[in-house]
Each structure stands twice: as structure tokens, then as C-alpha cells.
Amino acid sequence: MPYVVLTTADVEHRLKELQDKYGLSNEEFQNSERARCRVSDQDEFDWDVYLEHQAALREEQETLHRDYLRRLVSVEQSTSNSAEYFAGVAA
Amino acid sequence: MTYDQYQARFYATVPLLPLPIDTVVGLPLFASAVPTVWHFKWEIEFKSDGHYIYCREAWSARKAKPARRYKFSFHYGPGPQRDANGGIIIDPKIPVVLRCDQTSHTPEHIHYLGPDHYEQDRVQGLVIDKIDLFQFVWAVLRHRSTKDPLDKILGFKVA
């Protein structure tokens, strides 16, 4: 399969697999040169790139959430404006 | 460079490579969760002597920055050893012919005809972090067809 679209679950699963295999947290892997030395070449590559994928996914989710909240606020404002308008018409 | 451009360049360039008949070209792997971050793996195996090329790159254009390659490893040497799923295991005990590496935790360096790391300050004539995937593959193919050493083909010297 030449193209892989990674989901959040795929990324988290691979990172968990690596953490369990080496008994290291992501932070230990990132910050401890000694811990890193225990990780095989292939796994080290994967660990670094999956952390980057995870960061990218989190940024995307935060952006999406911000946009959602922004729309929610504008819908609430518009709903309250409409309610005032219709209340005025009824009176 | 975008992810689409990266893939397009790969498929446009592979047919131009002078691949000998004993070559088994592996299926490339392009993996991405969002279009601004991707990684790539690709191997070429030479059946006549069991040598192989193994290329890996990771690119990121997070936070609206231009895409940059933040990690790569281009490997050529004897082997490969494989795990139960057929994946390549790189055994550091097996000497490489040439390997160019850049990781987020080590400065770019090469290994040439042995296990020693040569960081950029010990390599003349080659900017390691600028080496291109196809520049590497082409050099190995040329080395295999002409028997010229890779340092001559790529124009570098190690000290």
C-alpha cells in the first residue's frame, strides 16, 4: 500500500506500541540521549515521525475546535438578535 | 514543496533511473495524517549481491511554514536483514557502504565504508543536509555500474 492516511488512532497506537516496547514515555524518548540509544534505528525513525504527526493532528484539531467555537458564538448572537427582533414585532 | 508535489516528483523521476535488471524496486510508502506533514520509505534491492538502498525522509510544514525535511536516512550497503513482517532491520554491526543521516537529535553526518560518523565538519564537497533522495540513488546506481567509488561520484572527501 503506497499511500497511508494516518488517523489519530493509528498515530496513538504506533506511539503506544513504541512506548510499551521500550518502556519509555514519549518525553523520555525525546529528552534522554541514553534512552534513545536503546531504540532501534527503524523505531527511532518511526517514533520521531509519529510524534510530528501527532503534533500536526493536535494543531489541526485545535484549529477546528476554535473555528467551531467562533461559529457557535456568531450563531448564538444571531439567534439572540432574531429573538429581540421578533419580540419587537410581536409587541 | 507540497505533499502532492513530492509524490509527483517521485513518480516522474523513478522512470528516469538507470535501473539494472537485477534490481527489485520496492513499493514506496507515503504516509500522512494531515497534508502538511508526511514521511516516506522506499527500498531498492540488488539481487546479484544482496546489497540494498533504503531511503527514508520526513517532511513538515506545520504552522504555515515552508516544508522542510526534518529527518532523513539514505542507506546503501549489504543486507538487508528483515523482521517477521518483511520490514528492514538495520543492524549497526553490519558495515555500510554509504549512509547519510539527519535526525532531530544528531547533527547531519555520513558513514562511509565503516561505522565511523563523519559530521559535516569532516566532510568536504558535500552538504549533507542538502543531499537529495535521487542524487543518492543515482550515485549508487552509477557506482554499481562503473565501480567508481561513491566519494568520487558524489565529489566528497572525509577527514
Side-chain angles (χ1 to χ4, degrees):
Chain A
M1 175 71 91
Y3 299 98
V4 177
V5 179
L6 299 166
T7 63
T8 302
D10 295 331
V11 171
E12 298 299 337
H13 175 76
R14 182 65 179 132
L15 289 172
K16 176 84 173 47
E17 210 172 54
L18 291 164
Q19 288 169 1
D20 291 348
K21 184 171 175 182
Y22 293 99
L24 295 171
S25 65
N26 289 336
E27 291 69 30
E28 283 168 325
F29 168 75
Q30 284 179 300
N31 300 322
S32 161
E33 202 54 48
R34 204 168 156 197
R36 242 181 136 84
C37 289
R38 292 169 38 209
V39 179
S40 76
D41 181 272
Q42 190 74 279
D43 287 342
E44 188 191 7
F45 183 87
D46 278 5
W47 212 327
D48 275 331
V49 302
Y50 275 79
L51 284 169
E52 186 74 6
H53 287 306
Q54 184 188 51
L57 278 164
R58 283 182 180 164
E59 277 171 18
E60 183 110 325
Q61 283 157 2
E62 279 164 19
T63 307
L64 208 64
H65 191 227
R66 260 201 312 274
D67 286 352
Y68 166 74
L69 290 177
R70 201 174 297 132
R71 279 164 197 239
L72 201 67
V73 168
S74 57
V75 168
E76 272 174 0
Q77 278 170 352
S78 130
T79 312
S80 113
N81 292 344
S82 308
E84 281 168 22
Y85 172 78
F86 285 111
V89 170
Chain B
M1 170 133 52
T2 66
Y3 188 31
D4 285 346
Q5 289 166 340
Y6 182 84
Q7 291 169 33
R9 178 175 182 258
F10 177 83
Y11 287 113
T13 311
V14 169
L16 307 176
L17 292 172
L19 295 165
I21 202 155
D22 72 326
T23 310
V24 178
V25 179
L27 213 53
L29 171 90
F30 298 94
S32 173
V34 299
T36 48
V37 175
W38 67 92
H39 74 267
F40 167 83
K41 295 180 183 179
W42 186 43
E43 61 177 278
I44 298 174
E45 197 170 345
F46 303 100
K47 287 292 178 190
S48 58
D49 61 3
H51 279 47
Y52 74 113
I53 297 172
Y54 186 39
C55 298
R56 290 171 292 174
E57 283 189 312
W59 289 72
S60 179
R62 276 171 53 207
K63 299 183 178 173
K65 288 182 180 160
R68 67 180 183 90
R69 183 173 65 177
Y70 66 94
K71 192 172 173 76
F72 73 90
S73 169
F74 302 149
H75 180 112
Y76 171 63
Q81 294 190 318
R82 294 191 183 272
D83 62 22
N85 300 320
I88 287 180
I89 301 170
I90 295 190
D91 183 349
K93 289 193 285 291
I94 298 179
V96 299
V97 178
L98 178 64
R99 180 181 163 116
C100 306
D101 274 323
Q102 181 195 34
T103 73
S104 45
H105 279 248
T106 55
E108 59 274 12
H109 60 273
I110 65 170
H111 305 253
Y112 184 50
L113 302 173
D116 289 350
H117 277 228
Y118 296 100
E119 290 184 7
Q120 185 63 72
D121 59 354
R122 296 176 64 196
V123 180
Q124 289 180 340
L126 178 71
V127 180
I128 302 168
D129 73 351
K130 296 278 181 260
I131 190 162
D132 178 75
L133 163 72
F134 288 109
Q135 181 189 6
F136 183 87
V137 173
W138 178 86
V140 171
L141 295 174
R142 185 160 176 80
H143 160 70
R144 291 181 63 85
S145 67
T146 63
K147 308 295 177 211
D148 284 340
L150 274 163
D151 56 350
K152 183 180 165 196
I153 293 168
L154 284 167
F156 71 85
K157 282 183 182 167
V158 290

